[in-house]
Amino acid sequence: MQNNSLPPGSDDPGQGWGWQQPDCRGHAALALFIDDLHRVLQARTAQQLAAGAPLAATQEQVDALLAHYIESGKAPDIFDGQSVTLKEGVDRDGVTHTVPIFSPHLKQALVAMLGRPGGRA
């Protein structure tokens, strides 16, 4: 799969993605995925401020990101068959937020990871 549906700079070796890291296995892979997801959502925020980015384009980036983690095969018990769906909501101050909705199993893995001492390993 090509990186062309990920945010600009995704081909920059200095900004490697989590699935490219040698320690991307098990719960470390999930922590790296969350870091990468945050990176995609930050890029969306910057694009919204500059020119307005459609949610569908960011959803494609998130789908591509998840596909990389699935294809890497480094944590199949966490990622295989899972999804992340982006939704937009407006808070009471009128600010629009993009919120990731995790599939049940992925959410359960994330909650388990967060409950571990240190939050990551």
Side-chain angles (χ1 to χ4, degrees):
M1 174 175 271
Q2 294 179 349
N3 289 348
N4 56 356
S5 59
L6 289 173
S10 62
D11 294 323
D12 179 355
Q15 294 186 356
W17 293 90
W19 76 86
Q20 298 169 324
Q21 306 304 315
D23 64 338
C24 182
R25 299 199 185 296
H27 286 282
L30 183 55
L32 290 166
F33 173 76
I34 296 302
D35 288 345
D36 288 345
L37 179 61
H38 181 250
R39 186 172 162 185
V40 170
L41 294 176
Q42 279 186 314
R44 173 174 170 69
T45 299
Q47 291 169 351
Q48 280 181 306
L49 293 174
L55 186 62
T58 306
Q59 182 67 59
E60 288 176 12
Q61 293 171 350
V62 170
D63 293 345
L65 177 65
L66 185 56
H68 281 294
Y69 277 86
I70 292 168
E71 290 171 3
S72 76
K74 295 179 181 178
D77 57 318
I78 294 173
F79 295 108
D80 283 1
Q82 301 309 304
S83 63
V84 176
T85 303
L86 299 180
K87 299 286 184 182
E88 281 189 335
V90 179
D91 67 19
R92 63 179 87 159
D93 295 325
V95 177
T96 301
H97 299 275
T98 303
V99 179
I101 307 298
F102 299 95
S103 59
H105 179 74
L106 191 55
K107 178 181 175 182
Q108 181 181 17
L110 179 59
V111 168
M113 180 191 72
L114 292 174
R116 293 173 177 265
R120 280 195 175 218

